[in-house]
Amino acid sequence: MDICKMPENASKCSGNTMECFMVLSTQAQKISIATLCGIFGTLCIFENSLVLYLIFSSPRTRKKPSYLFISSLALADILASIIFVCSFVNFHVFNRTGFSKESFLLQLGGVNTSFSASLSSLLLTALDRYISISRPSEYKLLMTRKRAWISLGVLWVTCATIAALPLLGWNCCTLDSTCSELFPFVDDNYLSGWICLTLVLLGCIVYAYAHVLWRARQHVAYMEQHQAAVGKQNTRMRMDVMLAKTLVMVLAVLVLCWSPVLVLMIYSVFARLSDPLRKVFAFCSTLCLLNSMVNPIIYALRSKELNSSLRRVFSRFRRQLKASEESPEAESTHRSSVVET
């Protein structure tokens, strides 16, 4: 399949074909990518599914806007893992090119939607914590469950619309423009716009969390001075500080995992990538899965409500397992007594 106006000297392969974007040249590289995608993807799906179960199985957590935003983040990570692993391994490991331009852009749009929704959900969570700490007395009035659902609806529709633009016509084949070196059919200007949007989102998240950390430090100092006054206000502040620290950890992991990919994307817009750098980009892309895999671990370790729910689930599972193991023994004992009688 021909690629429209691929950048000159973008690769050493002959002809503008889909094979030009298949940068894994050895079997060891393909096995490594497949192993990383398999491990990260499987753990990500399991962990985020567990987070969704813990949140929606508890009437207390599923009603809170904070956990609705975390649910959106978990759902986005699940979809990103499924679509990314299937399309990425199918293309780079099995080298399958028997699909149309529309089919490829549809898969790319699914990955783009999921990762953009994941990042946007983290932004909503940051804004939720920002309001909770900066205006605690008005938090319940400002952040209602209805507003949370409306925000999530706008978020997903916006992410899906932006991701669908290449499929709707903003691609280098339709526009007869220069294609990206990293993604087939993707217009360089579209990629630049998506990078700018991502950087704006990251900047907003960093600003929100910087304010959250500043207010959290003030709350910690206040609680140390008024430890004798134990009440509902101090309890809420302790929860806000705890959740703020948790989400800062999530943000730190996000930045560390996404920085290499974004840096290489930005570099590809202004300069030509060598084949080794394009291979590095392929391996760095799996860090996005690592980010999605680490987030639920941070929730389980830092969120007291989810942690206690997780312990109850494991305790119930152990009781059921123990009962199933004891049941055959009891039945066998009963049969033996009948025989003896």
Side-chain angles (χ1 to χ4, degrees):
M1 182 179 296
D2 292 338
I3 302 297
C4 310
K5 280 195 177 182
M6 183 178 167
E8 295 180 3
N9 302 323
S11 66
K12 297 179 180 179
C13 58
S14 57
N16 296 337
T17 61
M18 291 289 286
E19 284 75 13
C20 297
F21 295 88
M22 298 176 180
V23 296
L24 304 181
S25 55
T26 66
Q27 194 67 19
Q29 293 174 354
K30 294 181 180 180
I31 293 175
S32 300
I33 285 288
T35 302
L36 291 174
C37 289
I39 294 175
F40 293 163
T42 302
L43 290 176
C44 178
I45 293 171
F46 171 76
E47 292 169 0
N48 284 286
S49 299
L50 181 61
V51 169
L52 288 177
Y53 172 77
L54 293 176
I55 291 175
F56 286 98
S57 62
S58 172
R60 185 177 180 182
T61 55
R62 67 168 174 255
K63 292 180 180 180
K64 294 184 177 182
S66 300
Y67 287 104
L68 289 179
F69 298 144
I70 292 176
S71 300
S72 175
L73 178 62
L75 177 61
D77 287 337
I78 291 174
L79 295 177
S81 300
I82 295 174
I83 303 173
F84 177 83
V85 169
C86 292
S87 59
F88 196 78
V89 171
N90 208 25
F91 185 80
H92 285 288
V93 177
F94 296 107
N95 300 138
R96 293 176 181 171
T97 59
F99 43 77
S100 62
K101 176 189 71 174
E102 290 74 17
S103 177
F104 180 85
L105 291 177
L106 181 62
Q107 295 178 36
L108 186 62
V111 174
N112 194 352
T113 299
S114 303
F115 280 127
S116 298
S118 177
L119 185 61
S120 301
S121 298
L122 191 56
L123 175 59
L124 285 182
T125 309
L127 294 176
D128 175 73
R129 290 299 90 201
Y130 177 89
I131 297 173
S132 177
I133 287 185
S134 62
R135 306 173 71 177
S137 60
E138 305 174 25
Y139 173 74
K140 290 187 177 180
L141 294 176
L142 294 175
M143 190 57 66
T144 62
R145 197 161 177 262
K146 180 180 179 180
R147 289 181 178 178
W149 279 112
I150 293 175
S151 301
L152 291 175
V154 172
L155 179 156
W156 280 91
V157 170
T158 302
C159 291
T161 302
I162 294 175
L165 290 178
L167 185 62
L168 296 176
W170 192 355
N171 58 74
C172 54
C173 292
T174 303
L175 300 177
D176 196 26
S177 56
T178 303
C179 292
S180 167
E181 293 182 76
L182 298 174
F183 306 101
F185 309 114
V186 174
D187 179 68
D188 254 345
N189 292 327
Y190 173 82
L191 182 61
S192 301
W194 187 86
I195 293 172
C196 291
L197 177 62
T198 303
L199 292 176
V200 169
L201 290 176
L202 284 174
C204 293
I205 294 173
V206 170
Y207 174 79
Y209 276 115
H211 185 82
V212 166
L213 279 178
W214 177 64
R215 293 303 297 265
R217 291 188 63 183
Q218 286 186 332
H219 285 181
V220 170
Y222 175 83
M223 286 185 290
E224 289 176 352
Q225 295 176 1
H226 302 81
Q227 287 185 0
V230 180
K232 187 175 181 180
Q233 183 71 16
N234 282 344
T235 301
R236 181 192 295 181
M237 285 194 297
R238 288 190 185 94
M239 292 177 61
D240 287 342
V241 171
M242 189 71 174
L243 191 51
K245 291 179 179 179
T246 299
L247 298 175
V248 168
M249 292 173 62
V250 174
L251 176 62
V253 172
L254 177 78
V255 172
L256 290 174
C257 291
W258 276 86
S259 293
V261 173
L262 290 175
V263 168
L264 288 174
M265 282 184 181
I266 295 172
Y267 183 79
S268 70
V269 173
F270 298 100
R272 301 301 179 201
L273 290 176
S274 62
D275 287 344
L277 280 180
R278 296 170 72 202
K279 291 179 182 179
V280 170
F281 178 80
F283 278 93
C284 288
S285 298
T286 60
L287 291 177
C288 302
L289 283 178
L290 178 62
N291 169 64
S292 300
M293 185 193 74
V294 170
N295 285 344
I297 298 176
I298 299 176
Y299 303 148
L301 292 177
R302 303 289 298 181
S303 174
K304 290 184 177 180
E305 291 178 309
L306 292 185
N307 202 358
S308 60
S309 298
L310 183 61
R311 286 198 300 268
R312 286 196 298 270
V313 169
F314 283 150
S315 179
R316 186 166 61 247
F317 177 75
R318 284 197 300 267
R319 287 198 301 269
Q320 292 177 351
L321 186 62
K322 187 176 180 181
S324 63
E325 290 177 351
E326 292 177 352
S327 180
E329 296 178 1
E331 185 178 354
S332 177
T333 303
H334 175 71
R335 287 181 178 176
S336 299
S337 62
V338 172
V339 172
E340 291 177 359
T341 304

